[in-house]
Amino acid sequence: MAEVINMPRLSDTMEEGTVATWLKKVGDKVEEGDILAEIETDKATMEFESFNEGTLLHIGIQEGETAKVDTLLAIIGEEGEDISDLVNGKSSEAEAEKNEKEEDNVEKDSTVEETSSEESDDASNEEGTALPEGVIVVTMPRLSDTMEEGTVATWLKKVGDEVEEGDILAEIETDKATMEFESFQSGTLLHVGLEEGESAKVDALLAIIGPAGTDVSDVAKNFKVGGGSSEEKKKETPKKEDKKTESKKDEPKKEFKSNDSVTSSAVEMPSGGRIFASPLAKKMAEEKGINLSQVNGSGENGRIVKRDIENYTPAQSSAAAAKFVPSGQEDYDEVPNSNMRKAIAKNLAKSKFTAPHYYLNVEFDMENAIAFRAQYNSLPDTKISYNDMIVKACALALRQHPQVNSQWFDDRMQLNNHVHIGVAVAVPDGLVVPVVKFANEQSLTQIGAAVKEYAGKARNKKLTLEEMEGSTFTISNLGMFGIESFTSIINQPNSAILSVGAIVSKPVVKEGKVVPGNTMKLTMACDHRTVDGATGAQFLQTLKGYIENPVTMLV
């Protein structure tokens, strides 16, 4: 059966999108995960991937054309399938909606009525429940191009609060980051469809806004997305709970909160480790080098505020004691998968099983690099890491080997002449890859400052989509953990990823003599579709020249 694809909401403020490029044409086969088109939003031009398989039967918006969110974008189905009813139905629906709005505008302000009309259509259920006058249903937004569901990290408004257009309603965790979601309506927050820590699919009931005192219980109860009510959706949300043997059932359940109803530990949130802090507190913590996970929040719902950072002492932090388990007893805990963890699992599995990986291993002499870094850091207000040097060296080497700086398509290879280096950063929920744009054009200190800033944002879940998009090559470094060598999975759509190990002091042979030395092992995983063995080896030889003679990076 044919599937209708509508213009997606690819950013929190997106109201319309422009098709920059179609990467599939009518008649082409489409697999799940294929990039259908590049869509220009109010923030960036983003790739839009298909969640369906079949043949592209119809394109509703041509290249260069602009349309509102939820307008017919394309139809995918079986080859030769009759879609005339879908195409005509969408056209008639759009025309009817337009006429309806024009009639309504005679009585009410056009902007407010347009919003009400659209939300009314969305909120209607199978029984035909109508919205009370002035009531707006707010649904879970699509805040990233790959987002399928979202988790409410924290509510910044509570039921009964007045809401102005532009106010931040909530912080929502997507598969890529935690983002602020602002209200496009004014009124009173009458109902919250999801509690903090709960997840729901895109377009599920998030909140209801309207005139104070309005009864919206029927609206909340009967709101349906894909045949299920909001209450049913909430029941499907997994909860974290301890699984114990029969003899432990009567023991009190361990709660992830303190006994104090106001002050709670920021690291022991029921939502699985999310840290709630004011922007000022986060900035102060970053400046002072304080790990927010070790700070007890005294604000509302355990939120970390300015005074918590000012009063913080290292004594607050203590190692978490291992859970007590009686000898000989089996025990385990279940932790719901976060949206980020689900996305990592999906993307890495896709990369591993679609890109034919092979690996190249090298070992570099680090004597000159160690001496160079010591001299460079002797300059006032200057501090670079070995990782910053590797980012710079890779960027320069990639300019000489564009086939390693490439992307695979079914009918072509894209050789990038710009260099955007993705730097893998570990976070509690998994891994994020912020991108240092035009790394070959930046100095070592600029690269160091960018990586440090992105790492701080990553730990506080404040990276934007723009800061995580567009990489052409990725670096993963586990050297700081003492790992000497390892292999990584390619971060698609990149063609290669470099795994960086620790610098190891050991005997080496120089000019026929065994002398003390320092070496570092690197492993590059390559996609054999784009990077042949000799090509990868030549890139690593160029990289070796920069790393073993780092002064050449300054030329």
Side-chain angles (χ1 to χ4, degrees):
M1 181 178 177
E3 295 288 341
V4 172
I5 312 298
N6 292 328
M7 175 66 75
R9 187 184 298 275
L10 299 179
S11 79
D12 50 336
T13 58
M14 176 179 171
E15 296 182 0
E16 63 182 16
T18 301
V19 176
T21 307
W22 279 103
L23 301 179
K24 298 287 185 180
K25 59 182 183 292
V26 172
D28 283 356
K29 292 292 183 183
V30 178
E31 299 291 334
E32 183 178 352
D34 283 356
I35 305 301
L36 278 180
E38 292 181 347
I39 296 177
E40 180 183 337
T41 74
D42 56 337
K43 293 183 176 179
T45 299
M46 306 174 68
E47 294 179 337
F48 175 58
E49 70 178 63
S50 173
F51 299 107
N52 309 98
E53 297 182 352
T55 299
L56 182 57
L57 302 175
H58 174 78
I59 287 177
I61 305 170
Q62 299 303 318
E63 290 185 0
E65 291 184 344
T66 301
K68 296 286 186 183
V69 170
D70 292 332
T71 302
L72 173 64
L73 179 64
I75 299 177
I76 295 175
E78 297 180 3
E79 187 173 358
E81 186 175 353
D82 181 11
I83 58 169
S84 55
D85 289 344
L86 290 175
V87 175
N88 296 333
K90 280 290 176 180
S91 301
S92 302
E93 182 181 326
E95 186 65 28
E97 185 177 341
K98 179 179 178 182
N99 293 336
E100 181 183 345
K101 289 177 183 176
E102 289 176 352
E103 293 172 3
D104 291 338
N105 286 345
V106 175
E107 300 177 0
K108 295 188 178 182
D109 176 81
S110 60
T111 302
V112 175
E113 186 57 33
E114 187 173 317
T115 304
S116 301
S117 175
E118 291 173 356
E119 295 294 342
S120 232
D121 291 340
D122 291 339
S124 296
N125 66 3
E126 292 174 359
E127 288 78 20
T129 301
L131 288 177
E133 184 177 354
V135 168
I136 302 296
V137 172
V138 181
T139 58
M140 175 66 74
R142 186 185 298 275
L143 298 179
S144 81
D145 51 333
T146 58
M147 176 179 172
E148 297 180 6
E149 65 178 30
T151 300
V152 176
T154 183
W155 280 102
L156 301 181
K157 297 286 185 179
K158 59 182 183 292
V159 173
D161 284 356
E162 290 296 320
V163 178
E164 297 294 332
E165 182 178 350
D167 284 356
I168 305 301
L169 275 181
E171 291 181 345
I172 296 177
E173 178 192 330
T174 73
D175 56 336
K176 292 185 175 179
T178 299
M179 305 176 67
E180 293 180 337
F181 175 57
E182 68 180 63
S183 174
F184 299 110
Q185 293 86 26
S186 298
T188 300
L189 184 57
L190 303 173
H191 175 80
V192 167
L194 295 171
E195 298 300 328
E196 291 183 358
E198 292 186 333
S199 302
K201 297 290 186 183
V202 168
D203 292 332
L205 176 63
L206 181 64
I208 300 176
I209 295 174
T214 305
D215 182 7
V216 294
S217 56
D218 287 343
V219 176
K221 180 179 179 181
N222 296 321
F223 181 86
K224 290 182 179 290
V225 177
S229 70
S230 59
E231 293 300 318
E232 290 167 344
K233 294 285 179 186
K234 288 169 65 176
K235 289 177 183 177
E236 295 170 2
T237 305
K239 305 287 184 185
K240 179 174 181 177
E241 60 182 31
D242 293 347
K243 295 294 182 179
K244 303 183 179 182
T245 56
E246 199 68 27
S247 63
K248 300 291 286 182
K249 282 186 177 178
D250 295 330
E251 284 194 11
K253 182 180 178 181
K254 181 178 179 181
E255 297 289 341
F256 285 84
K257 59 184 178 182
S258 66
N259 292 329
D260 193 318
S261 62
V262 175
T263 304
S264 63
S265 171
V267 74
E268 295 180 340
M269 296 300 293
S271 49
R274 279 177 287 275
I275 299 172
F276 306 140
S278 70
L280 178 58
K282 290 177 181 178
K283 182 179 179 181
M284 293 174 62
E286 185 174 350
E287 291 173 350
K288 295 184 177 184
I290 296 174
N291 186 343
L292 286 173
S293 65
Q294 298 175 352
V295 179
N296 293 324
S298 61
E300 185 177 0
N301 297 321
R303 195 175 185 85
I304 299 172
V305 294
K306 176 183 176 182
R307 63 175 175 271
D308 299 320
I309 303 300
E310 291 175 335
N311 299 330
Y312 171 80
T313 58
Q316 275 187 248
S317 118
S318 59
K323 177 181 175 182
F324 172 75
V325 178
S327 177
Q329 177 175 295
E330 295 182 353
D331 183 274
Y332 64 91
D333 297 329
E334 281 192 352
V335 180
N337 291 328
S338 67
N339 293 333
M340 181 182 291
R341 177 58 61 188
K342 292 176 186 176
I344 289 171
K346 176 182 176 182
N347 295 336
L348 293 186
K350 177 184 175 183
S351 175
K352 188 65 175 176
F353 295 113
T354 60
H357 286 53
Y358 73 93
Y359 306 93
L360 298 173
N361 303 293
V362 289
E363 187 170 10
F364 292 168
D365 184 341
M366 295 299 290
E367 290 296 316
N368 289 340
I370 293 171
F372 174 85
R373 178 174 177 263
Q375 286 185 325
Y376 201 93
N377 284 345
S378 67
L379 297 173
D381 301 320
T382 302
K383 186 175 182 180
I384 60 169
S385 66
Y386 292 111
N387 200 61
D388 301 332
M389 294 168 62
I390 294 166
V391 170
K392 177 68 173 180
C394 285
L396 294 174
L398 287 167
R399 285 290 289 127
Q400 300 177 44
H401 301 276
Q403 198 156 339
V404 181
N405 194 42
S406 64
Q407 183 175 345
W408 170 263
F409 293 94
D410 289 339
D411 58 345
R412 69 190 190 281
M413 285 191 296
Q414 177 176 302
L415 306 184
N416 297 304
N417 296 315
H418 60 277
V419 180
H420 296 340
I421 302 288
V423 180
V425 177
V427 294
D429 282 345
L431 189 75
V432 293
V433 186
V435 181
V436 180
K437 302 289 180 66
F438 305 104
N440 59 303
E441 301 173 10
Q442 299 194 41
S443 68
L444 286 166
T445 50
Q446 288 174 322
I447 290 172
V451 172
K452 183 178 180 181
E453 178 187 359
Y454 290 154
K457 285 186 173 182
R459 285 189 288 270
N460 291 321
K461 292 190 175 181
K462 288 302 177 184
L463 282 171
T464 65
L465 295 178
E466 186 177 359
E467 291 168 335
M468 293 186 287
E469 292 173 342
S471 67
T472 60
F473 185 85
T474 303
I475 296 172
S476 179
N477 192 337
L478 293 179
M480 68 286 292
F481 298 108
I483 303 300
E484 293 187 20
S485 66
F486 65 103
T487 60
S488 301
I489 298 174
I490 295 170
N491 179 33
Q492 289 186 331
N494 299 171
S495 289
I497 182 171
L498 187 69
S499 306
V500 182
I503 296 176
V504 177
S505 297
K506 67 178 187 178
V508 298
V509 178
K510 290 185 178 180
E511 299 178 355
K513 297 180 180 179
V514 178
V515 296
N518 290 279
T519 65
M520 179 175 68
K521 293 181 180 179
L522 302 95
T523 302
M524 187 165 75
C526 305
D527 184 341
H528 218 318
R529 297 175 300 180
T530 49
V531 183
D532 295 325
T535 303
Q538 290 163 2
F539 166 80
L540 290 173
Q541 284 298 309
T542 302
L543 182 64
K544 176 185 177 76
Y546 286 123
I547 295 295
E548 295 191 347
N549 299 283
V551 70
T552 58
M553 292 191 286
L554 303 180
V555 176

